[in-house]
Amino acid sequence: MNNKITIAVDGFSSTGKSTLAKALAKHLGYIYVDTGAMYRAVALFAMQNGYIGKDFVDTQSLINSLPYIKLVFKYNPNLGFSEMYLNGDNVETEIRSIEVSNYVSKVAGIPEVRSKLVEQQHEMGKNKGVVMDGRDIGTVVFPEAEIKLFMTASAHTRAERRFKELQQKGDQVTFEEVFKNIEDRDYMDTHREDSPLVKAKDAIEFDNSNISKEEQFQKALKLISIK
C-alpha cells in the first residue's frame, strides 16, 4: 500500500478490537487510537469526582467538567503501545477495572461526552494512516474510512475472555459478574440514542468466536492489502 488509509474497527465489548487494531497498526506503521480508553478515562474521572455511582449519574456536573478533562496517549516503548493519561496521570491500569467497565457505557451515552471525544478523534486521524477502534468509528467518527471491520462473538465467549484477563490481573470478580457486565454493556451500547453501536452498511463482519488471533490478523491484513 503506497497511500495511507483510515481503518475503523468497531464491535461489541471484549471482541478483541484493540488486540487486532494494535497488531494492524504495528504491522502497517500506522497510528493506533483506542477510543474505548478515552471513554473509560472519562468514566474514571466521573467516579473519582462522585459524578457516577451504582444508582445515579450526575450528568450535568460531568458535562460542566468536560473542559477540565485532558486526555493524552503517550507511547510506552517498553510495552510497545500508547497508554492513556488523564490530567497528567497514567491511568492505563485503572481504566481496565471491572468497576470502570460497569460505568463506561453510561458515560459514553451522554451526547456532550461523545461530541467532545469525537472531535478529538477526528483530529487524531485527520491525516489518515490510523487504525482506530471503538463503537462508532465507521458510522460516526470516520464514515469515509476505506476499511471498516465489525467485530463480534458470542456473549459467553467474550465473558470467558474478559474473565481470564481480569483473573490474570488479580481482580476479585466472578464469571457471573463479568457475563452480566457484557450483557448490560451490549444493551446500553446498542440502545443509546446518540451514536448507538451498529454495523456500518459497508463494514466487513468478523465473528471471532472460533478463530485464533493470528487467523483473524491474517484475514484482516488480506482485506487491507487489496485496498
Side-chain angles (χ1 to χ4, degrees):
M1 274 190 318
N2 296 320
N3 299 319
K4 289 186 175 181
I5 63 172
T6 299
I7 301 171
V9 184
D10 290 307
F12 293 91
S13 62
S14 299
T15 49
K17 296 187 301 296
S18 296
T19 299
L20 177 61
K22 282 178 189 174
L24 290 173
K26 184 176 182 179
H27 181 84
L28 298 168
Y30 278 19
I31 295 167
Y32 164 62
V33 179
D34 177 2
T35 64
M38 299 172 74
Y39 287 102
R40 283 175 172 273
V42 176
L44 179 63
F45 177 90
M47 290 166 59
Q48 292 172 338
N49 289 275
Y51 298 154
I52 195 167
K54 188 174 181 181
D55 302 312
F56 74 93
V57 181
D58 186 349
T59 303
Q60 194 55 55
S61 291
L62 179 55
I63 292 171
N64 292 343
S65 297
L66 288 177
Y68 309 106
I69 299 176
K70 305 301 179 187
L71 305 178
V72 178
F73 285 105
K74 292 185 181 179
Y75 185 74
N76 184 328
N78 295 321
L79 296 175
F81 63 86
S82 294
E83 297 177 296
M84 171 54 67
Y85 282 71
L86 168 64
N87 292 338
D89 295 326
N90 185 331
V91 294
E92 187 64 31
T93 300
E94 293 95 316
I95 63 173
R96 307 298 173 182
S97 70
I98 190 68
E99 290 81 10
V100 171
S101 294
N102 285 333
Y103 295 136
V104 65
S105 289
K106 292 179 182 178
V107 169
I110 300 171
E112 289 83 356
V113 172
R114 300 201 71 82
S115 178
K116 175 185 174 70
L117 298 195
V118 167
E119 182 181 337
Q120 291 183 19
Q121 291 154 16
H122 272 142
E123 187 64 23
M124 292 173 181
K126 66 180 181 180
N127 296 319
K128 298 201 173 189
V130 64
V131 184
M132 194 173 288
D133 76 68
R135 300 289 194 279
D136 61 350
I137 311 306
T139 53
V140 175
V141 184
F142 288 110
E144 74 284 2
E146 289 86 350
I147 291 286
K148 299 179 186 178
L149 306 177
F150 189 85
M151 314 289 292
T152 185
S154 70
H156 194 274
T157 296
R158 290 183 284 131
E160 285 183 331
R161 291 172 183 167
R162 181 68 175 142
F163 181 58
K164 287 178 182 177
E165 287 176 4
L166 292 169
Q167 278 190 314
Q168 289 171 357
K169 294 177 182 177
D171 284 19
Q172 299 299 313
V173 62
T174 66
F175 176 79
E176 289 70 24
E177 286 178 292
V178 176
F179 186 76
K180 184 178 187 304
N181 172 256
I182 292 285
E183 288 195 315
D184 288 348
R185 289 181 67 191
D186 284 354
Y187 183 84
M188 284 187 280
D189 289 342
T190 54
H191 287 77
R192 64 176 178 238
E193 290 186 17
D194 188 8
S195 307
L197 171 62
V198 293
K199 175 176 170 283
K201 291 180 180 179
D202 54 346
I204 300 160
E205 184 167 323
F206 267 55
D207 186 330
N208 63 10
S209 299
N210 300 302
I211 64 173
S212 69
K213 292 178 182 178
E214 181 60 26
E215 288 174 320
Q216 176 178 266
F217 173 72
Q218 292 300 332
K219 185 178 177 181
L221 204 57
K222 187 175 181 180
L223 290 169
I224 294 165
S225 68
I226 61 176
K227 273 290 175 181

